[in-house]
Amino acid sequence: MSDITLNIDGKEVKAKEGMTLLEAAKTAGITIPTLCYHEKLEPFGGCRLCIVEVEVKGWTKLVVSCVYPVEKNIIVRTRSEKVDRIRKMILQLLLAHAPDAFDLQDLAKEYGADKDRFEKEPSFCVHCGLCVRYCDEVKKKNAIGFVDRGIRKEINFIPEIAAKECWDCKECFPLCPTEALQAAFVLVEALAFPEAAEG
Ligand code: SF4
Ligand code: FES
């Protein structure tokens, strides 16, 4: 794999072909906020929090850095007026669902996002998909899935699988940026293995 040189936030960065902008920024010590990204998982590009501005031959565009591959000689800005404005809006929408999520609150401070900007719809799950994808891609158990209820998509543990696999795993717990996963687990614990829930 050959080296690709690009410019990120005014810094010359060398990256390997096939890397994403997010990975290249990381190697250069530049932090881009993420929600649905995890280094062990396939790129997902769901939350859009990691958008950055890319300039190619004088033209700028917004791209999702966790899925966008490095290209030679492009100029990347991880912060700009436009990028910050969009991140602020995304955070405000996420906070309407999960107003108490610590990670979101920290970012909200940084981007000046108002958690009361949109009417609260506390579903707690922000649909980052980390739990579902981790259980599928890393653990290969598929004990959690999304249940489609129209616009109210929800995560659910599959009781039959959870009863066998989850009680001594729980590796997905620390990945959840909200309380949603733990709440869903309490429910399946009570349904699928009540002895453990009581103990
Ligand atoms: S339960 Fe948590 S980890 Fe799973 S999709 Fe929802 S917010 Fe993401
Ligand atoms: S971290 Fe890139 S879209 Fe979520």
Side-chain angles (χ1 to χ4, degrees), residues 33 35 47-51 62 80-98 104 107-119 126:
L35 186 71
C47 72
R48 301 291 199 259
L49 208 54
C50 68
I51 53 147
L62 292 169
S80 71
E81 207 183 307
K82 216 186 228 172
V83 166
D84 282 13
R85 204 174 49 236
I86 295 172
R87 284 199 191 132
K88 177 178 168 182
M89 184 61 78
I90 294 171
L91 286 164
Q92 289 178 157
L93 287 164
L94 292 169
L95 282 161
H97 291 286
L104 295 180
L107 284 168
K109 260 190 226 137
E110 189 174 340
Y111 288 89
D114 174 5
K115 72 175 171 53
D116 300 317
R117 170 71 179 77
F118 295 108
E119 199 178 323
V126 288

Side-chain angles (χ1 to χ4, degrees), residues 111-137:
Y111 288 89
D114 174 5
K115 72 175 171 53
D116 300 317
R117 170 71 179 77
F118 295 108
E119 199 178 323
K120 296 272 170 308
E121 260 187 82
S123 55
F124 305 104
C125 177
V126 288
H127 303 148
C128 69
L130 285 172
C131 57
V132 176
R133 290 181 292 129
Y134 189 89
C135 194
D136 172 20
E137 293 175 32

Side-chain angles (χ1 to χ4, degrees), residues 43-64:
F44 183 58
C47 72
R48 301 291 199 259
L49 208 54
C50 68
I51 53 147
V52 294
E53 210 169 74
V54 165
E55 186 180 326
V56 190
K57 295 183 183 142
W59 293 92
T60 55
K61 56 180 177 179
L62 292 169
V63 303
V64 177

